[in-house]
Amino acid sequence: MQGPDRTTYDINALVSGVAAGDAAAFTVLYQEYYPRIYGLARHLTGSEASAEEIVQDVFLKVWLRQQALKEVQHFEAYLFVIARNHIYTYLRSMARRATGSADPLDQQPVSGYSPADSLELKEMNLLLAAAIGRLPAQQQEVYRLSKEQGLSREEIAERMHLSPETVKVHLARAMRAIRTYLAARLLLVLATCLGGAWQER
């Protein structure tokens, strides 16, 4: 049976491993904290699917910020701040959706933890660009006009000669596809290192 000191030591060692780019250590952290992050997100959002998305977003951010982990003193607090902000963003987007101005991809900075390395932002932007590039042409244009140029649904509809409802559908599908792509990148990392870890046993 492990006591508090051993658990703390193990978590700190795992965090150090992730900071050094150890995908197997990342997988263990994911397995360790997944139930708690998922449970919290499920409780607050009331949605299993949304809770799963939030967990994937949280751990994708941790993986992309692996260099920043070197400066983190209390990983669990750090992780739950990220989770809290993602859940807040989800709840805020649901409120905005109710008023007709949803933006589920809005992201708030993690309070108190700015990225220590600009590579995290660069890599996230590369992943996002790849996800956008995979969208059908019309979805891609709607997404860019909305997110990059800040046009309203009605302005996009007028420019593209579409109905506002069609714009809404295209934007929702684009954001869902982008989230699916980003989640797949995370799952690929997990599947790869899980396979390697079991082969070594």
Side-chain angles (χ1 to χ4, degrees), residues 18 26 29 57-67 69 75 78-79 82:
V18 175
F26 173 73
L29 276 181
D57 287 347
V58 167
F59 281 97
L60 180 61
K61 185 175 289 291
V62 170
W63 178 251
L64 292 177
R65 288 184 172 187
Q66 55 189 246
Q67 292 297 318
L69 292 177
F75 175 75
Y78 172 78
L79 182 66
I82 296 176

Side-chain angles (χ1 to χ4, degrees), residues 89-105:
T89 297
Y90 170 84
L91 294 174
R92 188 186 64 174
S93 71
M94 291 302 98
R96 293 179 64 185
R97 179 176 297 177
T99 63
S101 59
D103 189 359
L105 287 183

Side-chain angles (χ1 to χ4, degrees), residues 60-175:
L60 180 61
K61 185 175 289 291
V62 170
W63 178 251
L64 292 177
R65 288 184 172 187
Q66 55 189 246
Q67 292 297 318
L69 292 177
K70 296 175 182 178
E71 308 300 324
V72 173
Q73 299 299 317
H74 303 287
F75 175 75
E76 188 167 302
Y78 172 78
L79 182 66
F80 277 89
V81 166
I82 296 176
R84 181 199 67 193
N85 285 355
H86 276 281
I87 293 168
Y88 169 80
T89 297
Y90 170 84
L91 294 174
R92 188 186 64 174
S93 71
M94 291 302 98
R96 293 179 64 185
R97 179 176 297 177
T99 63
S101 59
D103 189 359
L105 287 183
D106 270 356
Q107 294 295 324
Q108 289 294 316
V110 177
S111 302
Y113 289 104
S114 298
D117 196 325
S118 63
L119 288 177
E120 180 264 330
L121 181 58
K122 180 180 179 181
E123 189 169 352
M124 179 62 85
N125 285 337
L126 287 174
L127 283 172
L128 182 59
I132 295 170
R134 294 169 62 91
L135 296 174
Q138 202 163 48
Q139 283 185 28
Q140 193 172 141
E141 185 174 359
V142 167
Y143 179 86
R144 292 188 186 283
L145 289 173
S146 174
K147 304 302 179 184
E148 297 177 7
Q149 297 188 32
L151 299 186
S152 68
R153 191 180 301 164
E154 290 71 22
E155 290 171 330
I156 296 171
E158 183 177 353
R159 179 175 295 195
M160 295 184 66
H161 306 291
L162 300 171
S163 70
E165 186 61 29
T166 299
V167 170
K168 178 181 177 181
V169 170
H170 279 316
L171 189 56
R173 288 177 178 173
M175 291 187 292

